[in-house]
Amino acid sequence: MPIVVRIDVELAKRKMSVGEFAERVGLTPANVAVLKNGRAKAVRFSTLEAMCRVLDCQPGDLLEWVEGEETS
C-alpha cells in the first residue's frame, strides 16, 4: 500500500502507549493495531481528526505516501 501510517512514530515522540492513545481517541487497541500495521483500507475523517487532536499533530504527520510500495 503506498500510504504508510506513522502512528508509531508520533506515539514514540510523546511516550504514549497504544492503550492510552486508543482510549483517548475512542478506538479499540485492536483497531489501532490495524492502522499501525497498514491493514486498514480506510480511515474516517472524524477518526483522523481525533488522532490529530490527541497527538497535537497534522494529518501529514500520521500519513505518508511512498512511491513504489503498492500491493494488490
Side-chain angles (χ1 to χ4, degrees):
M1 174 181 281
I3 302 294
V4 178
V5 181
R6 303 280 185 210
I7 294 173
D8 53 345
V9 173
E10 297 302 317
L11 289 176
K13 284 181 186 177
R14 289 154 182 82
K15 297 180 180 163
M16 185 182 296
S17 71
V18 170
E20 178 185 354
F21 176 70
E23 183 178 325
R24 291 179 62 185
V25 171
L27 296 173
T28 65
N31 283 339
V32 174
V34 167
L35 286 168
K36 281 180 53 177
N37 296 327
R39 294 190 316 259
K41 298 296 180 193
V43 179
R44 291 176 189 232
F45 279 159
S46 59
T47 301
L48 184 59
E49 178 185 353
M51 292 189 299
C52 289
R53 187 176 354 92
V54 167
L55 295 172
D56 190 29
C57 67
Q58 295 295 313
D61 297 327
L62 298 175
L63 303 173
E64 179 184 5
W65 177 75
V66 180
E67 188 172 2
E69 291 194 16
E70 195 166 327
T71 60
S72 301

